[in-house]
Coordinates of all heavy atoms in Angstrom, one line a residue:
M1 N 32.2 -142.6 191.9 CA 32.6 -141.2 191.3 C 32.1 -141.3 189.8 O 32.2 -142.4 189.1 CB 34.1 -141.3 191.3 CG 34.7 -139.9 191.5 SD 36.5 -139.9 191.7 CE 37.1 -140.0 190.0
P2 N 31.5 -140.2 189.5 CA 30.9 -140.1 188.1 C 32.1 -140.0 187.2 O 33.1 -139.6 187.4 CB 30.1 -138.8 188.1 CG 30.6 -138.0 189.3 CD 31.2 -138.9 190.1
P3 N 31.9 -140.6 185.9 CA 32.9 -140.5 185.0 C 33.3 -139.1 184.5 O 32.1 -138.4 184.4 CB 32.4 -141.5 183.8 CG 30.9 -141.4 184.0 CD 30.6 -141.3 185.5
T4 N 34.6 -138.8 184.4 CA 34.8 -137.4 184.0 C 34.4 -137.2 182.5 O 34.8 -138.1 181.7 CB 36.4 -137.1 184.0 OG1 36.9 -138.4 184.3 CG2 36.6 -136.1 185.0
P5 N 33.6 -136.2 182.1 CA 33.3 -136.1 180.8 C 34.5 -135.7 179.9 O 35.5 -135.0 180.4 CB 32.3 -134.7 180.7 CG 32.7 -134.0 182.1 CD 33.1 -135.1 183.0
R6 N 34.5 -136.2 178.7 CA 35.6 -135.9 177.9 C 35.7 -134.4 177.5 O 34.8 -133.7 177.3 CB 35.4 -136.7 176.5 CG 35.9 -138.1 176.7 CD 36.3 -138.7 175.4 NE 35.3 -139.2 174.5 CZ 35.3 -139.3 173.2 NH1 36.3 -138.9 172.6 NH2 34.4 -139.9 172.5
P7 N 36.9 -133.9 177.5 CA 37.0 -132.3 177.3 C 36.5 -132.1 175.8 O 36.7 -132.9 175.0 CB 38.5 -132.2 177.4 CG 39.3 -133.6 177.2 CD 38.2 -134.5 177.8
E8 N 35.8 -130.9 175.8 CA 35.2 -130.7 174.6 C 36.4 -130.2 173.5 O 37.2 -129.4 173.8 CB 34.3 -129.3 174.8 CG 33.3 -129.0 173.6 CD 32.4 -128.0 174.2 OE1 32.8 -127.1 174.9 OE2 31.3 -127.9 173.7
T9 N 36.2 -130.6 172.3 CA 37.3 -130.2 171.3 C 36.9 -128.8 170.9 O 35.8 -128.3 171.1 CB 37.2 -131.1 170.0 OG1 35.8 -130.9 169.4 CG2 37.3 -132.6 170.3
P10 N 38.0 -128.0 170.4 CA 37.6 -126.7 170.0 C 36.7 -126.5 168.9 O 35.7 -125.6 168.9 CB 39.1 -126.2 169.4 CG 40.1 -127.2 169.9 CD 39.3 -128.4 170.3
Q11 N 36.6 -127.6 168.1 CA 35.6 -127.5 167.0 C 34.2 -127.7 167.6 O 33.4 -127.0 167.2 CB 35.7 -128.6 165.9 CG 37.1 -128.6 165.0 CD 38.3 -129.1 165.8 OE1 38.3 -129.4 167.0 NE2 39.3 -129.3 164.9
A12 N 34.0 -128.5 168.5 CA 32.7 -128.9 169.1 C 32.2 -127.5 169.9 O 31.2 -127.1 169.9 CB 32.8 -130.1 170.1
R13 N 33.3 -126.9 170.6 CA 33.0 -125.8 171.4 C 32.6 -124.6 170.5 O 31.7 -123.9 170.7 CB 34.3 -125.4 172.1 CG 34.0 -124.2 173.0 CD 35.4 -123.8 173.8 NE 35.2 -122.7 174.5 CZ 36.2 -121.9 175.0 NH1 37.5 -122.2 174.6 NH2 36.1 -120.8 175.6
Y14 N 33.2 -124.5 169.3 CA 32.9 -123.4 168.4 C 31.5 -123.7 167.9 O 30.7 -122.7 167.8 CB 33.9 -123.2 167.2 CG 33.6 -122.2 166.2 CD1 33.6 -120.9 166.6 CD2 33.3 -122.5 165.0 CE1 33.3 -119.9 165.8 CE2 32.9 -121.5 164.0 CZ 32.9 -120.2 164.5 OH 32.7 -119.2 163.5
R15 N 31.2 -124.8 167.4 CA 29.8 -125.2 167.1 C 28.8 -124.9 168.0 O 27.7 -124.4 167.7 CB 29.8 -126.7 166.6 CG 30.3 -127.0 165.2 CD 29.8 -128.3 164.6 NE 30.2 -129.4 165.4 CZ 31.3 -130.1 165.4 NH1 32.1 -129.8 164.3 NH2 31.6 -131.0 166.1
R16 N 29.1 -125.1 169.4 CA 28.1 -124.9 170.3 C 27.9 -123.4 170.5 O 26.9 -122.9 170.6 CB 28.6 -125.5 171.7 CG 27.9 -125.3 172.8 CD 28.2 -126.0 174.1 NE 29.6 -125.8 174.4 CZ 30.0 -124.7 175.1 NH1 29.1 -123.8 175.5 NH2 31.2 -124.7 175.4
V17 N 29.0 -122.6 170.5 CA 28.9 -121.0 170.7 C 28.2 -120.6 169.5 O 27.3 -119.7 169.7 CB 30.4 -120.4 170.7 CG1 30.2 -119.0 170.6 CG2 31.2 -120.9 171.9
V18 N 28.4 -121.0 168.2 CA 27.7 -120.6 167.1 C 26.1 -120.8 167.2 O 25.3 -120.0 167.0 CB 28.2 -121.1 165.7 CG1 27.2 -121.0 164.7 CG2 29.6 -120.6 165.5
R19 N 25.8 -122.0 167.7 CA 24.4 -122.3 167.9 C 23.6 -121.5 169.0 O 22.7 -120.9 168.7 CB 24.4 -123.8 168.4 CG 23.4 -124.7 167.6 CD 23.3 -126.2 167.9 NE 23.9 -126.6 169.2 CZ 24.9 -127.3 169.4 NH1 25.4 -127.8 168.2 NH2 25.4 -127.6 170.5
E20 N 24.5 -121.2 170.0 CA 23.9 -120.4 171.0 C 23.8 -118.9 170.5 O 22.7 -118.4 170.9 CB 24.9 -120.4 172.2 CG 24.8 -121.7 173.0 CD 26.0 -121.9 174.1 OE1 26.7 -121.0 174.2 OE2 25.9 -123.0 174.7
V21 N 24.8 -118.4 169.9 CA 24.7 -117.1 169.3 C 23.5 -117.0 168.3 O 22.6 -116.0 168.4 CB 25.9 -116.6 168.7 CG1 25.8 -115.4 167.8 CG2 27.0 -116.5 169.8
L22 N 23.3 -117.9 167.4 CA 22.1 -117.9 166.5 C 20.9 -117.9 167.2 O 19.9 -117.3 166.8 CB 22.3 -119.0 165.5 CG 23.3 -118.9 164.4 CD1 23.5 -120.3 163.7 CD2 23.0 -117.8 163.4
Q23 N 20.7 -118.8 168.2 CA 19.5 -118.9 169.0 C 19.3 -117.6 169.7 O 18.1 -117.1 169.7 CB 19.6 -120.1 169.9 CG 18.6 -121.2 169.7 CD 19.0 -122.4 170.3 OE1 19.5 -122.5 171.5 NE2 18.9 -123.6 169.5
A24 N 20.2 -117.1 170.3 CA 20.0 -115.9 171.3 C 19.6 -114.7 170.4 O 18.9 -113.9 170.9 CB 21.3 -115.6 172.1
R25 N 20.2 -114.6 169.2 CA 19.9 -113.4 168.5 C 18.9 -113.4 167.3 O 18.7 -112.6 166.7 CB 21.3 -112.9 168.0 CG 22.4 -112.6 168.9 CD 23.7 -112.1 168.4 NE 24.6 -112.2 169.5 CZ 25.9 -111.9 169.4 NH1 26.3 -111.5 168.2 NH2 26.7 -112.2 170.3
G26 N 18.3 -114.8 167.4 CA 17.1 -114.9 166.3 C 17.5 -115.0 164.9 O 16.6 -115.0 164.1
R27 N 18.6 -115.5 164.5 CA 19.0 -115.9 163.2 C 18.7 -114.7 162.2 O 18.2 -115.0 161.0 CB 18.3 -117.1 162.7 CG 18.7 -118.3 163.6 CD 17.9 -119.5 163.4 NE 18.2 -120.5 164.4 CZ 19.1 -121.4 164.2 NH1 19.9 -121.5 163.0 NH2 19.4 -122.3 165.2
L28 N 18.8 -113.6 162.6 CA 18.7 -112.4 161.5 C 20.0 -111.6 161.6 O 20.7 -111.6 162.5 CB 17.6 -111.4 162.1 CG 16.1 -112.0 162.1 CD1 15.2 -110.9 162.7 CD2 15.7 -112.4 160.8
C29 N 20.3 -111.3 160.3 CA 21.6 -110.5 160.0 C 21.5 -109.3 160.8 O 20.6 -108.6 160.9 CB 21.6 -110.2 158.5 SG 23.0 -109.2 158.1
E30 N 22.7 -109.2 161.6 CA 22.8 -108.0 162.4 C 23.1 -106.7 161.7 O 23.3 -105.6 162.2 CB 23.8 -108.3 163.5 CG 23.4 -109.3 164.7 CD 24.3 -109.5 165.7 OE1 24.6 -108.6 166.4 OE2 24.9 -110.6 165.9
C31 N 23.5 -107.0 160.4 CA 23.7 -105.7 159.5 C 22.5 -105.3 158.8 O 22.3 -104.0 159.0 CB 24.8 -106.1 158.5 SG 26.5 -106.5 159.3
C32 N 21.7 -106.1 158.2 CA 20.6 -105.7 157.5 C 19.3 -106.4 157.7 O 18.3 -105.9 157.2 CB 21.0 -106.0 156.0 SG 20.9 -107.6 155.4
G33 N 19.3 -107.3 158.7 CA 18.0 -107.7 159.2 C 17.2 -108.8 158.5 O 16.3 -109.3 158.9
V34 N 17.9 -109.4 157.4 CA 17.4 -110.6 156.7 C 17.7 -111.8 157.5 O 18.6 -111.8 158.2 CB 17.7 -110.6 155.2 CG1 17.4 -109.2 154.6 CG2 19.1 -111.0 155.1
P35 N 16.9 -112.9 157.2 CA 17.4 -114.2 157.9 C 18.8 -114.6 157.5 O 19.1 -114.5 156.3 CB 16.3 -115.2 157.2 CG 15.2 -114.3 156.9 CD 15.7 -113.0 156.4
A36 N 19.4 -115.1 158.4 CA 20.8 -115.3 158.4 C 21.3 -116.6 159.0 O 20.7 -116.9 160.0 CB 21.7 -114.1 158.7
R37 N 22.3 -117.1 158.6 CA 22.7 -118.3 159.2 C 24.3 -118.4 159.3 O 24.9 -119.4 159.7 CB 22.2 -119.7 158.5 CG 22.4 -119.7 157.1 CD 21.7 -120.9 156.4 NE 22.3 -121.0 155.1 CZ 23.3 -121.6 154.7 NH1 24.0 -122.2 155.5 NH2 23.7 -121.6 153.4
H38 N 24.9 -117.3 158.9 CA 26.4 -117.2 159.2 C 26.7 -116.5 160.3 O 26.0 -115.7 160.8 CB 26.9 -116.5 157.9 CG 26.9 -117.2 156.6 ND1 27.8 -118.1 156.2 CD2 26.0 -117.0 155.7 CE1 27.4 -118.6 155.1 NE2 26.4 -117.9 154.6
V39 N 27.9 -116.8 160.9 CA 28.5 -116.1 162.0 C 29.9 -115.6 161.6 O 30.7 -116.4 161.0 CB 28.4 -117.0 163.2 CG1 29.4 -116.3 164.3 CG2 27.0 -117.1 163.8
H40 N 30.1 -114.3 161.9 CA 31.3 -113.8 161.5 C 32.2 -113.2 162.6 O 31.6 -112.7 163.5 CB 31.0 -112.5 160.5 CG 32.3 -111.9 160.2 ND1 33.1 -112.2 159.1 CD2 32.6 -110.7 160.6 CE1 34.1 -111.3 158.9 NE2 33.7 -110.3 159.9
H41 N 33.4 -113.5 162.5 CA 34.3 -113.0 163.6 C 34.7 -111.5 163.3 O 35.2 -111.2 162.3 CB 35.6 -113.7 163.6 CG 35.5 -115.2 164.3 ND1 35.5 -116.4 163.5 CD2 35.4 -115.5 165.6 CE1 35.3 -117.4 164.3 NE2 35.2 -116.9 165.6
I42 N 34.3 -110.7 164.4 CA 34.7 -109.3 164.1 C 36.2 -109.0 164.1 O 36.8 -108.4 163.2 CB 34.0 -108.5 165.2 CG1 32.6 -108.5 165.2 CG2 34.6 -107.0 165.3 CD1 31.8 -108.0 166.4
I43 N 36.8 -109.7 165.2 CA 38.5 -109.8 165.0 C 38.7 -111.2 164.5 O 38.3 -112.2 165.1 CB 39.0 -109.5 166.4 CG1 38.6 -108.2 166.9 CG2 40.4 -109.8 166.3 CD1 39.1 -108.1 168.4
P44 N 39.1 -111.2 163.2 CA 39.3 -112.5 162.6 C 40.3 -113.5 163.2 O 41.3 -113.1 163.8 CB 39.8 -112.2 161.1 CG 40.3 -110.8 161.2 CD 39.6 -110.2 162.3
C45 N 40.1 -114.8 163.1 CA 40.9 -115.8 163.6 C 42.3 -115.6 163.2 O 43.3 -116.0 163.9 CB 40.5 -117.2 163.2 SG 38.8 -117.5 163.6
S46 N 42.5 -115.0 161.9 CA 43.9 -114.9 161.4 C 44.6 -113.8 162.2 O 45.8 -113.8 162.3 CB 43.8 -114.5 160.0 OG 42.9 -113.3 159.7
V47 N 43.8 -112.9 162.9 CA 44.5 -111.9 163.8 C 44.5 -112.4 165.2 O 45.6 -112.1 165.8 CB 43.7 -110.5 163.6 CG1 44.1 -109.5 164.6 CG2 43.7 -110.0 162.2
S48 N 43.4 -112.8 165.8 CA 43.6 -113.3 167.2 C 44.3 -114.5 167.4 O 44.8 -114.8 168.5 CB 42.0 -113.5 167.7 OG 41.5 -114.6 167.0
G49 N 44.4 -115.4 166.3 CA 45.0 -116.8 166.5 C 44.0 -117.8 166.8 O 43.0 -117.4 167.5
I50 N 44.1 -118.9 166.2 CA 43.0 -119.9 166.1 C 42.7 -120.4 167.6 O 41.6 -120.8 167.9 CB 43.3 -121.0 165.2 CG1 42.0 -121.8 164.8 CG2 44.4 -121.9 165.6 CD1 41.1 -121.1 163.9
A51 N 43.6 -120.3 168.4 CA 43.5 -120.9 169.8 C 43.0 -119.8 170.7 O 42.8 -120.1 172.0 CB 44.7 -121.5 170.3
S52 N 42.8 -118.7 170.2 CA 42.5 -117.5 171.2 C 41.0 -117.6 171.7 O 40.2 -118.2 171.0 CB 42.6 -116.1 170.4 OG 42.0 -115.1 171.1
E53 N 40.8 -117.1 172.8 CA 39.6 -117.1 173.5 C 38.5 -116.3 172.6 O 37.3 -116.4 172.6 CB 39.5 -116.7 174.9 CG 40.0 -117.6 176.0 CD 39.1 -118.8 176.0 OE1 37.8 -118.7 176.2 OE2 39.6 -120.0 175.7
L54 N 39.1 -115.3 171.9 CA 38.2 -114.4 171.0 C 37.5 -115.2 170.0 O 36.4 -114.8 169.5 CB 39.1 -113.4 170.3 CG 39.3 -112.1 171.2 CD1 40.4 -111.3 170.3 CD2 38.3 -111.2 171.5
V55 N 38.0 -116.4 169.6 CA 37.4 -117.1 168.6 C 36.1 -117.7 169.1 O 35.2 -117.9 168.4 CB 38.3 -118.4 168.2 CG1 37.6 -119.4 167.4 CG2 39.6 -117.9 167.6
F56 N 36.0 -117.9 170.4 CA 34.7 -118.4 170.9 C 34.0 -117.4 171.8 O 33.0 -117.8 172.5 CB 35.2 -119.6 172.1 CG 36.1 -120.5 171.4 CD1 37.5 -120.6 171.6 CD2 35.6 -121.6 170.6 CE1 38.2 -121.5 171.1 CE2 36.4 -122.5 169.9 CZ 37.8 -122.5 170.2
D57 N 34.3 -116.2 171.7 CA 33.6 -115.2 172.5 C 32.4 -114.6 171.7 O 32.6 -114.0 170.7 CB 34.7 -114.0 172.7 CG 34.0 -113.1 173.7 OD1 32.9 -112.9 173.9 OD2 34.9 -112.1 174.2
P58 N 31.3 -114.8 172.3 CA 30.0 -114.2 171.6 C 30.0 -112.8 171.3 O 29.5 -112.3 170.2 CB 29.0 -114.6 172.6 CG 29.4 -115.6 173.4 CD 31.0 -115.4 173.6
A59 N 30.9 -112.1 172.0 CA 31.0 -110.5 171.8 C 31.7 -110.4 170.6 O 31.7 -109.2 169.9 CB 31.7 -109.9 173.0
N60 N 32.5 -111.3 170.2 CA 33.3 -111.1 168.9 C 32.7 -111.8 167.7 O 33.3 -111.9 166.6 CB 34.8 -111.8 169.1 CG 35.7 -111.4 168.0 OD1 35.7 -110.4 167.5 ND2 36.5 -112.5 167.6
L61 N 31.4 -112.2 167.9 CA 30.7 -112.9 166.8 C 29.5 -112.0 166.3 O 28.8 -111.4 167.2 CB 30.3 -114.3 167.2 CG 31.3 -115.3 167.5 CD1 30.7 -116.5 168.1 CD2 32.1 -115.6 166.3
I62 N 29.2 -111.8 165.1 CA 28.1 -111.2 164.6 C 27.3 -112.2 163.5 O 27.9 -113.0 162.9 CB 28.0 -109.9 164.0 CG1 29.2 -109.9 162.9 CG2 28.6 -108.9 165.0 CD1 29.1 -108.6 162.1
V63 N 25.9 -112.4 163.8 CA 25.2 -113.1 163.0 C 25.1 -112.3 161.7 O 24.7 -111.0 161.8 CB 23.8 -113.4 163.6 CG1 22.8 -114.1 162.6 CG2 23.8 -114.1 164.9
I64 N 25.1 -112.9 160.5 CA 25.4 -112.0 159.3 C 24.9 -112.9 158.2 O 25.0 -114.1 158.1 CB 26.8 -111.6 159.1 CG1 26.9 -110.6 158.1 CG2 27.8 -112.9 158.7 CD1 28.2 -109.9 158.1
C65 N 24.2 -112.4 157.2 CA 23.6 -113.0 155.9 C 24.8 -113.1 155.0 O 25.9 -112.5 155.1 CB 22.5 -112.2 155.4 SG 22.9 -110.7 154.5
N66 N 24.5 -114.1 154.0 CA 25.5 -114.2 153.0 C 26.1 -113.0 152.3 O 27.4 -112.9 152.1 CB 25.0 -115.3 152.1 CG 26.1 -116.0 151.3 OD1 27.1 -116.3 151.9 ND2 25.9 -116.4 150.0
D67 N 25.2 -112.1 151.9 CA 25.6 -110.9 151.1 C 26.4 -110.1 152.0 O 27.5 -109.7 151.5 CB 24.3 -110.2 150.7 CG 23.6 -110.8 149.6 OD1 24.1 -111.8 149.0 OD2 22.4 -110.4 149.4
C68 N 26.1 -109.8 153.2 CA 26.9 -109.0 154.1 C 28.2 -109.6 154.4 O 29.2 -108.9 154.5 CB 26.2 -108.6 155.4 SG 24.6 -107.5 155.2
H69 N 28.1 -111.0 154.6 CA 29.4 -111.6 154.8 C 30.5 -111.5 153.7 O 31.6 -111.3 154.0 CB 29.0 -113.2 155.2 CG 30.2 -113.9 155.9 ND1 30.2 -115.2 155.9 CD2 31.1 -113.4 156.7 CE1 31.3 -115.4 156.6 NE2 31.7 -114.3 157.1
M70 N 30.0 -111.6 152.5 CA 30.9 -111.4 151.4 C 31.6 -110.0 151.5 O 32.7 -109.9 151.0 CB 29.9 -111.4 150.1 CG 29.5 -112.8 149.7 SD 30.7 -114.0 149.6 CE 30.0 -114.9 148.2
L71 N 30.9 -109.0 151.9 CA 31.4 -107.6 152.0 C 32.5 -107.6 153.1 O 33.3 -106.7 153.1 CB 30.3 -106.6 152.2 CG 29.3 -106.4 151.1 CD1 28.2 -105.5 151.8 CD2 29.9 -106.0 149.9
M72 N 32.4 -108.4 154.1 CA 33.4 -108.5 155.1 C 34.8 -109.2 154.7 O 35.7 -109.2 155.4 CB 32.9 -109.3 156.4 CG 31.5 -108.8 156.9 SD 32.0 -107.4 157.9 CE 30.1 -107.2 158.5
H73 N 34.7 -110.0 153.6 CA 35.7 -110.9 153.2 C 36.2 -110.4 151.7 O 35.8 -110.9 150.9 CB 35.5 -112.3 153.2 CG 35.3 -112.8 154.6 ND1 36.3 -113.2 155.4 CD2 34.1 -112.9 155.5 CE1 35.8 -113.5 156.7 NE2 34.5 -113.3 156.7
P74 N 37.0 -109.4 151.7 CA 37.5 -109.0 150.4 C 38.1 -110.1 149.5 O 37.9 -110.0 148.3 CB 38.7 -108.0 150.7 CG 38.4 -107.5 152.0 CD 37.7 -108.7 152.8
L75 N 38.7 -111.0 150.1 CA 39.3 -112.1 149.4 C 38.3 -113.0 148.8 O 38.4 -113.7 147.7 CB 40.3 -112.9 150.2 CG 41.5 -112.1 150.6 CD1 42.4 -113.0 151.4 CD2 42.3 -111.8 149.3
I76 N 37.2 -113.1 149.4 CA 36.0 -114.0 148.9 C 35.3 -113.2 147.7 O 34.9 -113.6 146.8 CB 35.0 -114.4 150.0 CG1 35.6 -115.3 151.1 CG2 33.9 -115.1 149.5 CD1 34.7 -115.5 152.2
R77 N 35.2 -111.9 148.1 CA 34.3 -111.0 147.3 C 35.1 -110.8 145.9 O 34.3 -110.9 144.8 CB 34.2 -109.6 148.0 CG 33.7 -108.6 147.1 CD 33.6 -107.3 148.0 NE 35.0 -106.7 148.0 CZ 35.3 -105.6 148.8 NH1 34.3 -105.2 149.6 NH2 36.5 -105.1 148.7
R78 N 36.3 -110.6 145.9 CA 36.9 -110.2 144.7 C 36.7 -111.1 143.5 O 36.2 -110.5 142.5 CB 38.3 -109.9 144.9 CG 38.6 -108.4 144.9 CD 40.0 -108.0 145.1 NE 40.1 -107.0 146.1 CZ 41.0 -107.0 147.1 NH1 41.7 -108.0 147.3 NH2 41.1 -106.1 148.0
P79 N 36.9 -112.3 143.6 CA 36.8 -113.0 142.3 C 35.3 -113.0 141.7 O 35.2 -112.9 140.5 CB 37.0 -114.5 142.7 CG 37.8 -114.4 144.1 CD 37.3 -113.1 144.7
S80 N 34.3 -113.1 142.7 CA 32.9 -113.0 142.1 C 32.6 -111.6 141.5 O 31.9 -111.5 140.5 CB 31.9 -113.4 143.2 OG 32.1 -112.5 144.3
W81 N 33.1 -110.5 142.1 CA 32.8 -109.3 141.4 C 33.5 -109.1 140.1 O 32.9 -108.6 139.3 CB 33.4 -108.1 142.4 CG 32.4 -107.9 143.6 CD1 31.3 -108.6 143.9 CD2 32.4 -106.8 144.4 NE1 30.8 -108.1 145.0 CE2 31.3 -107.0 145.4 CE3 33.1 -105.5 144.5 CZ2 31.0 -106.0 146.3 CZ3 32.9 -104.6 145.5 CH2 31.9 -104.8 146.4
T82 N 34.7 -109.6 140.1 CA 35.5 -109.4 138.9 C 34.7 -110.3 137.8 O 34.6 -109.8 136.7 CB 36.9 -110.0 139.1 OG1 37.5 -109.4 140.3 CG2 37.8 -109.6 138.0
K83 N 34.2 -111.4 138.1 CA 33.6 -112.3 137.2 C 32.3 -111.6 136.7 O 31.9 -111.4 135.4 CB 33.3 -113.6 137.7 CG 33.4 -114.8 136.8 CD 33.3 -116.1 137.6 CE 32.1 -116.8 137.4 NZ 31.8 -117.8 138.5
A84 N 31.5 -111.0 137.7 CA 30.2 -110.3 137.3 C 30.6 -109.2 136.4 O 29.8 -109.0 135.4 CB 29.5 -109.9 138.6
A85 N 31.6 -108.5 136.7 CA 31.9 -107.3 135.8 C 32.3 -107.7 134.5 O 31.8 -107.1 133.5 CB 33.1 -106.4 136.5
K86 N 33.0 -108.7 134.4 CA 33.4 -109.3 133.1 C 32.3 -109.6 132.2 O 32.1 -109.4 131.0 CB 34.4 -110.6 133.3 CG 35.9 -110.2 133.2 CD 36.6 -111.4 133.0 CE 38.0 -111.2 133.5 NZ 38.6 -112.2 134.2
G87 N 31.3 -110.2 132.9 CA 30.0 -110.7 132.2 C 29.2 -109.4 131.6 O 28.6 -109.6 130.6
R88 N 29.4 -108.2 132.2 CA 28.9 -107.0 131.7 C 29.7 -106.3 130.6 O 29.4 -105.2 130.2 CB 28.3 -106.2 132.8 CG 27.3 -106.7 133.6 CD 26.7 -105.8 134.5 NE 26.4 -106.5 135.8 CZ 26.9 -106.4 136.8 NH1 28.0 -105.6 137.0 NH2 26.4 -107.1 138.0
G89 N 31.0 -106.7 130.5 CA 31.9 -106.1 129.6 C 32.4 -104.9 130.3 O 32.9 -103.9 129.7
I90 N 32.5 -104.8 131.6 CA 32.9 -103.6 132.3 C 34.3 -104.0 133.0 O 34.5 -105.1 133.6 CB 32.1 -103.2 133.4 CG1 30.5 -102.9 133.0 CG2 32.7 -102.1 134.2 CD1 29.6 -102.9 134.0
A91 N 35.3 -103.2 132.7 CA 36.6 -103.5 133.3 C 36.8 -102.8 134.7 O 36.3 -101.6 134.8 CB 37.8 -103.0 132.4
L92 N 37.2 -103.5 135.6 CA 37.4 -102.9 137.0 C 38.9 -102.6 137.0 O 39.7 -103.4 137.3 CB 37.1 -104.0 138.0 CG 35.6 -104.2 138.4 CD1 35.6 -105.2 139.4 CD2 35.0 -103.0 138.8
N93 N 39.2 -101.4 136.8 CA 40.7 -100.9 136.9 C 40.9 -100.2 138.2 O 42.1 -99.7 138.3 CB 41.0 -100.0 135.6 CG 40.9 -100.9 134.4 OD1 41.2 -102.0 134.3 ND2 40.4 -100.3 133.3
R94 N 39.9 -99.9 138.9 CA 40.2 -99.1 140.1 C 40.6 -100.0 141.3 O 40.0 -101.0 141.5 CB 39.0 -98.1 140.6 CG 39.0 -96.9 139.5 CD 38.0 -95.9 139.9 NE 36.6 -96.6 139.8 CZ 35.7 -96.1 140.7 NH1 35.9 -95.2 141.5 NH2 34.4 -96.5 140.6
Ligands
ZN101 ZN1 22.8 -108.8 155.8
ZN102 ZN1 33.4 -114.0 158.4

């Protein structure tokens, strides 16, 4: 009897899905077309739940560049925008 392969960990499975998605779609940002190496969840893990099949579903993933990715994540974006604006002496009050 062949040895049973060890079950894939969720982390390994996710890395594999990301690799496959990047390979299949050509490593270009699906928003703006520049070379990209990020993968973004359309329905975020925080909504679907970390154990959800959506986390591993290529249909729920888009290849995205760093710039576009920042726009998808207001919490990542805000501190850097605020900092950039401060550097120019502009107050962001809106
Ligand atoms: Zn982009
Ligand atoms: Zn993302």
